[in-house]
Amino acid sequence: MHIDILTLFPEMFSGILNTSILQKAQEKEKFTYDLVNFREYTTDKHQKVDDYPYGGGAGMVLTPQPIFDAVDAKMKNTKTTPRVILMCPQGEPYTQKKAEELAQEDHLIFICGHYEGYDERIRKHLVTDEISIGDYVLTGGELGAMVVIDSVVRLLPDVLGNKASAPEDSFSTGLLEHPHYTRPANFRGMKVPNILLSGDHAKIKSWRKNQSLQRTYERRKELLQDFPLSEEEKEFLSRLEKD
């Protein structure tokens, strides 16, 4: 996978892209990236990339020309049709399902805006996806793009050391993940559940599934509305409700 990131502040990405899992993914040649300062594509003699909004109002709006030209330049260098992603608080709420969808692509282009907003022609005629990481406003799209890139790259084949890690993540199964424990078995009087020390893998698997169901029921009950429950799982949740 190749990822292009259009931003006025490329220096913001140096840490996250060259640390931890993302760095290892590059070393394994699972993805490459290019940081593009779209100010370099402006035809304005003062290097401006924003202007006052038509009709008046507060703030400045990113002009279409430098962003369109930057995307055009990136599309000339690819054999595939990239997904062009606009980071925007008005966009589609980001989910694990969306991360899994984007992880199937060969080329992603992220547009990270600043100021009051984007010229609407960018939204209507250039992008394929608008993504929001939450119902709040940041100073720019960079932090949101980092979140999306991290969540996508870790899903690429062989990026994570344990192949079972990603499929068992919270939301990947449709439920929140079960609790985890490690050594020591007894820490300050707080003990690991005996079932996890039993060596009975069938019982451990059942316990983890029930714990996942219980955690989802207690914390994100709405996730269970469309989850395909077995009869056994329905009975377990029924007992939870009675308790």
Side-chain angles (χ1 to χ4, degrees):
M1 173 183 282
H2 179 72
I3 299 175
D4 288 308
I5 305 163
L6 277 58
T7 172
L8 296 174
F9 302 95
E11 63 275 8
M12 290 180 67
F13 289 85
S14 59
I16 188 170
L17 291 172
N18 297 295
T19 307
S20 187
I21 297 298
L22 294 184
Q23 181 183 33
K24 292 178 180 178
Q26 292 176 72
E27 292 170 353
K28 292 179 179 180
E29 299 183 346
K30 299 301 177 181
F31 95 106
T32 56
Y33 72 88
D34 189 18
L35 291 168
V36 182
N37 188 334
F38 59 85
R39 191 181 299 278
E40 297 175 2
Y41 286 85
T42 184
T43 57
D44 182 84
K45 63 180 180 180
H46 301 297
Q47 293 269 285
K48 287 183 63 178
V49 295
D50 61 335
D51 211 329
Y52 295 104
Y54 279 124
M60 303 289 280
V61 177
L62 286 171
T63 59
Q65 179 271 315
I67 293 178
F68 268 81
D69 284 2
V71 171
D72 287 346
K74 288 301 169 183
M75 285 189 171
K76 289 179 182 178
N77 297 324
T78 183
K79 297 179 180 179
T80 60
T81 301
R83 297 276 283 271
V84 182
I85 301 166
L86 189 74
M87 300 307 304
C88 174
Q90 301 175 26
E92 168 191 353
Y94 193 55
T95 64
Q96 185 66 20
K97 182 178 180 181
K98 187 72 172 183
E100 293 166 359
E101 175 189 326
L102 294 177
Q104 304 303 312
E105 300 291 332
D106 293 322
H107 187 182
L108 302 175
I109 298 177
F110 287 86
I111 302 175
C112 306
H114 255 71
Y115 314 121
E116 183 65 22
Y118 306 94
D119 185 291
E120 188 67 12
R121 288 164 289 191
I122 297 169
R123 190 191 310 274
K124 283 188 173 182
H125 302 290
L126 187 61
V127 308
T128 59
D129 302 82
E130 293 183 52
I131 290 178
S132 166
I133 63 166
D135 293 339
Y136 47 86
V137 179
L138 299 169
T139 55
E142 285 79 9
L143 292 174
M146 292 177 197
V147 169
V148 176
I149 291 167
D150 181 271
S151 64
V152 168
V153 170
R154 67 187 299 279
L155 294 176
L156 299 179
D158 301 321
V159 167
L160 296 180
N162 187 335
K163 293 182 179 180
S165 294
E168 293 180 358
D169 284 339
S170 291
F171 304 111
S172 291
T173 62
L175 303 174
L176 300 185
E177 197 172 5
H178 58 78
H180 293 278
Y181 294 89
T182 187
R183 294 177 178 82
N186 186 335
F187 175 68
R188 297 184 179 180
M190 297 175 283
K191 297 180 180 180
V192 172
N194 288 331
I195 186 68
L196 297 178
L197 308 176
S198 69
D200 189 326
H201 296 292
K203 288 183 178 180
I204 291 172
K205 183 178 180 180
S206 176
W207 179 87
R208 284 176 169 168
K209 184 58 177 289
N210 286 341
Q211 288 291 308
S212 181
L213 282 166
Q214 181 172 342
R215 180 159 287 187
T216 305
Y217 176 81
E218 292 172 346
R219 302 184 182 189
R220 294 292 303 277
K221 196 173 182 178
E222 76 278 5
L223 295 176
L224 295 170
Q225 292 177 357
D226 300 318
F227 187 79
L229 296 167
S230 67
E231 290 302 317
E232 183 180 350
E233 290 166 346
K234 289 178 182 177
E235 290 178 11
F236 177 78
L237 289 175
S238 179
R239 291 196 299 271
L240 274 182
E241 289 178 350
K242 289 178 182 179
D243 293 340

